[in-house]
Amino acid sequence: MKTYIYMVRHGESPKTEGDERTRGLTEKGRSDARIITQLLKEEGIDVFISSPYKRAVATIEELAQSVGKEIVVFEELRELVFIGDNQIMADNELYPLVKKMFTEPDFSLPGGESITVCRNRVVGTFRNILEQYRGQKVAIGTHGAVMTLMMGYFDSQYDLDFLLTTSKPDIYKMEFQDEVLVETKRLWKN
């Protein structure tokens, strides 16, 4: 039975307001979310799932509303916790850290989690989603690192190099036959 998962990486988000959980989208991020709605509203998506982080929910919110669906929030799909207390890290600190973490999967900063811990959390949740929504089309509002770890579990080409080529937002349509990944297509054109 075929199941389709639409990985929707969140749009551009300001790093000057709130914290990792509460920061929303920039004006460009909101504009891109409207484009996502146009791109995906005819796909016949049955279920909308998101990380609890505001920017992930906001990226798929209009799309879900346009087809009369609610968004189910899964706490386990939160972004990789890079540092404690939901602190926002500047990109010039974050990118070298991400590279180190992918090279050393058990490394973490104080209060943060390692790639290994995050992968176990999100892959288990993703496999449950595949089982629970078998035969359906599911959109997941997600984050770059988490998306890469979930996709990489099924196909090793989705690794750090892949993550570094993704955009905000981004969309990948994954086709599964039962729990086997058959094909992945990038739908976002930046």
Side-chain angles (χ1 to χ4, degrees):
M1 182 176 294
K2 289 186 178 179
T3 305
Y4 294 91
I5 304 290
Y6 297 79
M7 292 286 191
V8 183
R9 185 182 186 191
H10 68 79
E12 185 179 276
S13 181
K15 291 200 169 193
T16 55
E17 63 180 46
D19 61 27
E20 277 300 306
R21 284 187 172 266
T22 61
R23 63 186 171 100
L25 297 173
T26 63
E27 185 51 47
K28 180 184 182 316
R30 289 188 291 277
S31 174
D32 286 341
R34 290 188 287 276
I35 294 169
I36 288 169
T37 298
Q38 296 307 309
L39 280 172
L40 297 182
K41 72 179 180 181
E42 302 301 322
E43 289 285 320
I45 296 171
D46 302 295
V47 179
F48 292 84
I49 294 171
S50 182
S51 153
Y53 288 20
K54 185 177 177 181
R55 61 193 180 273
V57 173
T59 300
I60 64 168
E61 194 165 39
E62 181 183 306
L63 173 61
Q65 290 172 352
S66 76
V67 295
K69 303 282 185 177
E70 297 290 323
I71 298 172
V72 181
V73 172
F74 280 59
E75 176 63 32
E76 298 82 7
L77 294 179
R78 67 189 173 275
E79 176 60 298
L80 172 68
V81 178
F82 295 104
I83 192 167
D85 299 326
N86 293 310
Q87 294 176 60
I88 296 173
M89 292 185 74
D91 287 346
N92 65 343
E93 296 173 342
L94 185 62
Y95 291 124
L97 173 62
V98 169
K99 287 178 183 178
K100 179 178 177 66
M101 293 176 79
F102 270 82
T103 305
E104 300 174 37
D106 293 321
F107 172 81
S108 66
L109 290 176
E113 64 185 342
S114 69
I115 289 287
T116 301
V117 168
C118 182
R119 179 185 299 121
N120 291 339
R121 168 172 55 84
V122 299
V123 167
T125 301
F126 187 84
R127 293 183 71 201
N128 289 339
I129 289 168
L130 271 179
E131 185 178 317
Q132 184 174 351
Y133 300 103
R134 185 180 308 266
Q136 298 185 57
K137 293 182 175 183
V138 181
I140 299 178
T142 191
H143 307 271
V146 165
M147 177 180 77
T148 301
L149 293 173
M150 289 187 284
M151 293 172 71
Y153 174 78
F154 294 96
D155 186 335
S156 62
Q157 74 173 310
Y158 302 110
D159 57 9
L160 175 62
D161 291 334
F162 163 77
L163 172 60
L164 297 175
T165 66
T166 63
S167 61
K168 294 179 188 175
D170 218 333
I171 307 169
Y172 293 86
K173 180 180 180 180
M174 303 172 73
E175 177 186 330
F176 288 87
Q177 181 65 45
D178 296 314
E179 287 197 21
V180 176
L181 178 61
V182 176
E183 181 179 34
T184 301
K185 290 182 188 170
R186 186 175 191 216
L187 302 182
W188 182 256
K189 310 287 189 239
N190 56 344

